[in-house]
């Protein structure tokens, strides 16, 4: 019996896949087919070699390279296509557990139909099985994708800011959407990410930016800067200075005291006034001639 599995049209925009060499891309598609025939897991390298009509060493090489590319996961020594369960729904390919549940449901329904009657116990059992199946299917359908659409769109924007074209993604940008998804998940705002990336690009002075991780430190600094508290402004009143001149307290601030001091200095330069002359004109001493000898 022939089986089918889901292949999404977004694959054409997945840099991890599109940057693979032709031979490895072909191997990936073939390995997906093999996994679909084997309940979502890959068999031994020998079985893979037989399926793909290649040598065992070549099969091991393909699996190793695809693990490094993040397209196959090593789960305790068992190799499975990355995010296979999230993309292949229970309605498409049932696991053995779901099959057993469905078989139980069919057996209960068959027994009820053949007997023509149903007991409360059988009815309750059938309802429980149906409820469990519905929960499984709802949970599978509710799974979020590994990388959000927002992360993919933002990764494309960063690629353009870096000076690249969307139709050609450098190998170093493979997995950029996953990295951006992590930034968004930890609360980095999209606008701040773009600001940090533009600043880092300007500082690069035309040097090629071949990886999205080039932007990480700059974006982290921008996020931290934006999160800093606003500075506090403290307004202080001018100090009040008390000046004591000639035993008399004179209030005012320092500027007023300086003005009074300048006035005092100017009065010294002006000389004594008429009112303060020690002698008036009538009391001036007359000139005397001193004798010689």
């Amino acid at each position: 019996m022939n089986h089918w599995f889901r292949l999404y049209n977004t694959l054409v925009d997945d840099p991890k896949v599109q940057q693979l060499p032709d031979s490895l891309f072909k191997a990936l598609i073939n390995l997906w087919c093999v996994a679909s025939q084997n309940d979502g897991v890959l068999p031994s390298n020998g079985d893979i070699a037989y399926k793909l009509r290649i040598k065992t060493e070549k099969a091991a090489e393909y699996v190793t390279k695809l693990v490094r590319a993040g397209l196959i996961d090593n789960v305790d020594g068992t190799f499975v296509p990355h995010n296979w369960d999230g993309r292949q729904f229970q309605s498409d390919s049932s696991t053995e557990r779901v099959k057993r549940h469905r078989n139980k449901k069919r057996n209960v329904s068959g027994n009820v139909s053949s007997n023509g009657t149903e007991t409360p116990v059988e009815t309750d059992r059938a309802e429980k099985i149906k409820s469990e199946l519905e929960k499984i299917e709802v949970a599978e359908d509710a799974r979020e994708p590994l990388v959000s659409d927002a992360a993919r769109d933002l990764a494309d924007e960063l690629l353009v800011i870096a000076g690249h074209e969307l139709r050609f993604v450098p190998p170093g940008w493979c997995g950029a959407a996953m990295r951006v998804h992590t930034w968004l998940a930890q609360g980095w705002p999209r606008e701040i990410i773009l600001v940090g990336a533009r600043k880092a690009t300007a500082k690069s002075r035309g040097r090629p930016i071949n990886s999205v991780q080039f932007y990480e430190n700059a974006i982290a600094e921008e996020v931290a800067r934006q999160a800093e508290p606003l500075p506090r402004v403290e307004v202080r009143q001018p100090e009040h200075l008390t000046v004591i001149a000639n035993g008399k307290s004179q209030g005012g601030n320092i500027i007023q005291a300086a003005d009074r001091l300048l006035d005092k200095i100017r009065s010294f330069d002006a000389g004594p006034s008429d009112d303060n002359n020690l002698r008036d004109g009538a009391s001036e001493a007359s000139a005397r001639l001193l004798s010689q000898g």
Side-chain angles (χ1 to χ4, degrees), residues 173 250 282:
W173 278 80
Q250 298 182 0

Side-chain angles (χ1 to χ4, degrees), residues 175-229:
M178 174 69 75
R179 195 65 186 169
V180 174
H181 182 88
T182 302
W183 295 346
L184 295 175
Q186 64 188 24
W188 290 8
R190 174 182 177 276
E191 293 75 13
I192 303 303
I193 292 175
L194 292 174
V195 169
R198 291 190 179 100
K199 287 184 178 180
T201 301
K203 292 180 180 179
S204 70
R205 298 180 179 179
R207 288 178 296 175
I209 300 172
N210 296 322
S211 171
V212 73
Q213 293 185 357
F214 173 86
Y215 291 131
E216 190 159 44
N217 289 338
I219 295 172
E221 292 176 1
E222 189 67 23
V223 171
R225 190 180 69 82
Q226 295 291 335
E228 289 180 352

